[in-house]
Amino acid sequence: MIKAYAIGLTIDELDELFSMLVWNEGIGTFSSEIGPSPLFGAYQLIKRLEKKGKSREDVLRELVEKFGEKNPNVRTFYKRRNENG
């Protein structure tokens, strides 16, 4: 998603994407599987920073810092919270 945002993905398109996920998967699945994910966290960060008037470059910088590969708490694969390791 960071790459898509970097090349021009808009917050309106992200709003539509997450609305479709709720619609197609149901609020329960969204709340338990997607809501706590880094993907949704990145979306919320983008939305919050854009609302504050931050430039796309500033938003990207914060996204990479918080959700990029150098952050050891961000994994490539989904892992349930109750799993060890």
Side-chain angles (χ1 to χ4, degrees):
M1 184 168 80
I2 294 172
K3 288 180 181 180
Y5 184 75
I7 62 170
L9 183 69
T10 67
I11 198 66
D12 288 337
E13 292 166 328
L14 287 170
D15 288 344
E16 182 68 20
L17 170 70
F18 285 102
S19 295
M20 290 173 67
L21 287 170
V22 171
W23 179 263
N24 289 319
E25 298 298 323
I27 193 66
T29 298
F30 183 87
S31 297
S32 64
E33 302 292 329
I34 298 167
S37 71
L39 176 69
F40 192 66
Y43 160 70
Q44 290 177 312
L45 180 64
I46 293 167
K47 192 161 182 136
R48 185 171 57 252
L49 293 176
E50 281 197 359
K51 197 175 272 190
K52 289 181 178 181
K54 298 276 186 171
S55 69
R56 185 170 290 265
E57 291 78 22
D58 289 340
V59 173
L60 281 167
R61 198 172 305 114
E62 290 199 40
L63 279 170
V64 169
E65 183 179 316
K66 186 165 185 169
F67 297 100
E69 295 172 354
K70 292 184 180 181
N71 183 337
N73 295 320
V74 177
R75 295 185 176 94
T76 307
F77 296 101
Y78 176 75
K79 190 175 225 180
R80 290 185 184 269
R81 289 183 180 195
N82 61 354
E83 290 181 16
N84 294 325

